[in-house]
Amino acid sequence: MTADLSILSLVSMYALMLIPLAIFFHLQLGLIRDTLLAIGRMTVQLLLVGLYLNYIFQLNNPFVSLLWVAIMLVAANLSILKKAGMKRGLFFWRSLAGVAGSTLFVSGWFILVAIRPEPAYDARYMVPIVGMILGNCLRSNVLSLERFYSGIRKSENEFMTYLLLGATLREATRPYLRDAIRAAVNPSIATIATMGIVSLPGMMTGQILGGAMPMEAIKYQIGIMACIFTAMVVASLMNILLSLPVAFDDHQRLRQDIFTM
Amino acid sequence: MIKFENITLKVHRQTLLDDATLQIADGDKVVVRGASGCGKSSLLKCMVGALPTTSGSVRVDGLELSADTVAEIRARIAFIGQEPVLGAEKVCDALLLPFHFKAHCGKKPSDERIFQLLERLHLSSNILDKPSKRISGGEKQRIAVIRALLLNKTIFLADEITSALDPESKAAVMAELFRPEITLLSVSHDPDWVNACTHVVKIQNAKLQEISRQRAQETQGKEVLSSLRSFAANKNNGDEHDS
């Protein structure tokens, strides 16, 4: 079992953050307020999640766990659209379908095919695994959506040239789709390639700190990386493809009223 | 036959065309003139559905531009801009780009036809291996013309396409585009180009006005064309020319 951190220990960890705050102050970066706010938010959010997860794990009810998963999916989806600068009202359901479809598919695969817990809906597996996959999908989806639409906006003439040369909407958007998927997955490929050498991944570290044997932790880590990578690629692709019918008008022109900025 | 009927076109809240009407018969060569920013390029763009019109209709060969017909209309029209986008890293890939799309799949032109057109437009075959970014504006314009000719289009929209061309290359491009079977709607400030056109249309106060119907001056136009063609032919060292 992990050695429990006392309140005093936790205070000492907060104290550690005085170092970056002092650096911000010295360099006059103007980040102190934002950092303090972020730390405050993190503390409250994690406290609430800790209490809630405690409750969910004790209850271990599939419907309550699924409700929590649904809340995570909706929150992630809203965050993706906000950060990618897309209007939520236009893309909410399509984006949710892309993110939820890919996340639930790979999570289900990992839990039901690889881990096979008893019961299958065990909240201790379902909630953290979906959360981990979703967190990574969020980042890749923001990157891919933003890159895809900014690419077309920047190269409006090029995009129209493809259409005028006889390309369908799918054909004309393919170069931008390639760029977007590349931008979304390249950082992950680099992370996967250096895993274990440059960094010890969070899940594995957590398991080792929790008392698991390193070899056991490694197997889980490989599993979760496979899930994260698959979900990221599928969600990025699905999100872009599902957004096309809304983002372009009936003459295949990119609508300008779909962006928030 | 191209018809603009009662077109109103607004770009960034500015009315560029207001209830404008224009009819272009098959084989006509029309040049649109007007002050900078008056909507000449926008007129060309709205014809292929690249810009939305507020009201009115655009008809090409009887087909009214709409969501159902836009692909078919685009397939009939070649649009060449002042700074053409080649859309591929290498020039040869740019030339063959449309033939990778479903619409033109299986219609890939022969190498012979490509070399023939390169020669007619005063381009060396070495250009095919060059990166698209490394070629000059004039070369890009001619590559875009060749690409349109390879697609056997008969309606050309040309927006200042001779702006970066030397006199010989301009003559070669004009010899290709001023053939009788080609319908041409263009924007140009080039006097040779304007003189060779059969109709000159001016955008003034958001209206389209035909300022000179050059059929009356057809002889003059033919003379200009004839001299341009012989100029191009001479530069090709007596190579056979089917224009």
Side-chain angles (χ1 to χ4, degrees), chain A residues 155-168 170-172 174-176 249-254 256, chain B residues 45 48-53 65-67 70 74 77 79 85 87-88 97-98 100-104 147 151 153:
Chain A
S155 322
E156 213 177 338
N157 279 344
E158 184 183 67
F159 174 68
M160 193 42 77
T161 300
Y162 293 138
L163 290 176
L164 295 177
L165 288 173
T168 59
R170 283 277 178 90
E171 288 170 329
R174 191 157 299 161
Y176 311 100
D249 68 12
D250 55 8
H251 285 53
Q252 290 94 42
R253 295 174 294 232
L254 181 63
Q256 296 303 317
Chain B
K45 284 179 184 170
V48 284
L51 275 181
T53 53
L65 183 67
S66 68
V70 67
R74 282 175 184 157
I77 296 173
F79 186 105
V85 177
L97 178 68
H100 294 296
F101 300 141
K102 275 182 208 151
H104 307 293
R147 185 161 65 183
L151 289 167
K153 308 252 187 173

Side-chain angles (χ1 to χ4, degrees), chain B residues 3 16 29 42 46 51 66 96 116 122 124 130 139 141 144 146 153 165 175 184 192 198 203 205 208 210 215 226:
Chain B
K3 275 185 183 177
L16 297 178
K29 311 289 184 280
S42 301
C46 80
L51 275 181
S66 68
L96 296 177
Q116 193 186 39
H122 298 190
S124 152
K130 287 187 182 172
E139 286 171 325
Q141 287 176 330
I146 292 176
K153 308 252 187 173
L165 297 181
L184 180 67
D192 291 335
T198 56
I203 299 181
N205 302 325
L208 289 169
E210 195 169 327
R215 286 206 187 284
S226 162

Side-chain angles (χ1 to χ4, degrees), chain A residues 203-214:
Chain A
M203 185 191 191
M204 196 176 125
T205 312
Q207 278 193 305
I208 292 171
L209 287 176
M213 294 302 288

Side-chain angles (χ1 to χ4, degrees), chain B residues 143-159:
Chain B
I143 291 293
V145 170
I146 292 176
R147 185 161 65 183
L149 291 169
L150 288 173
L151 289 167
N152 295 319
K153 308 252 187 173
T154 52
I155 301 174
F156 278 72
L157 306 184
D159 189 358

Side-chain angles (χ1 to χ4, degrees), chain A residues 11-33:
Chain A
V11 170
S12 75
M13 297 319 294
Y14 278 111
L16 195 63
M17 283 191 275
L18 288 172
I19 297 171
L21 288 172
I23 294 171
F24 293 165
F25 179 73
H26 181 70
L27 295 176
Q28 295 184 321
L29 292 180
L31 288 175
I32 293 177
R33 190 176 165 272

Side-chain angles (χ1 to χ4, degrees), chain A residues 56-241:
Chain A
I56 286 183
F57 290 171
Q58 277 175 4
L59 200 67
N60 211 14
N61 179 307
F63 297 108
V64 177
S65 302
L66 282 173
L67 181 67
W68 181 243
V69 166
I71 291 169
M72 286 199 293
L73 285 168
V74 169
N77 185 39
L78 290 173
S79 180
I80 288 169
L81 293 174
K82 188 182 175 193
K83 287 181 181 161
M86 316 284 289
K87 280 192 181 161
R88 292 169 179 179
L90 291 173
F91 294 99
F92 180 82
W93 292 109
R94 288 169 179 274
S95 174
L96 185 65
V99 175
S102 56
T103 303
L104 294 178
F105 170 70
V106 292
S107 309
W109 187 282
F110 192 33
I111 294 168
L112 301 176
V113 178
I115 304 174
R116 283 180 284 180
E118 277 297 331
Y121 55 82
D122 193 340
R124 274 183 189 280
Y125 290 95
M126 190 199 290
V127 174
I129 285 172
V130 171
M132 221 178 316
I133 293 170
L134 198 55
N136 285 278
C137 272
L138 191 147
R139 198 162 33 87
S140 69
N141 272 266
V142 171
L143 268 172
S144 59
L145 270 179
E146 198 281 327
R147 181 65 71 95
F148 179 74
Y149 285 107
S150 67
I152 296 176
R153 285 169 101 180
K154 276 183 208 156
S155 322
E156 213 177 338
N157 279 344
E158 184 183 67
F159 174 68
M160 193 42 77
T161 300
Y162 293 138
L163 290 176
L164 295 177
L165 288 173
T168 59
L169 182 61
R170 283 277 178 90
E171 288 170 329
T173 52
R174 191 157 299 161
Y176 311 100
L177 179 72
R178 281 197 203 107
D179 278 355
I181 301 291
R182 223 178 262 136
V185 301
N186 263 345
S188 296
I189 293 174
T191 308
I192 290 172
T194 56
M195 192 158 281
I197 300 172
V198 178
S199 64
L200 278 183
M203 185 191 191
M204 196 176 125
T205 312
Q207 278 193 305
I208 292 171
L209 287 176
M213 294 302 288
M215 287 311 288
E216 192 63 27
I218 281 166
K219 281 190 268 179
Y220 267 87
Q221 188 61 43
I222 292 171
I224 198 74
M225 285 316 293
C227 287
I228 287 172
F229 195 67
T230 307
M232 273 169 54
V233 175
V234 174
S236 299
L237 180 70
M238 278 178 72
N239 237 354
I240 291 175
L241 293 181

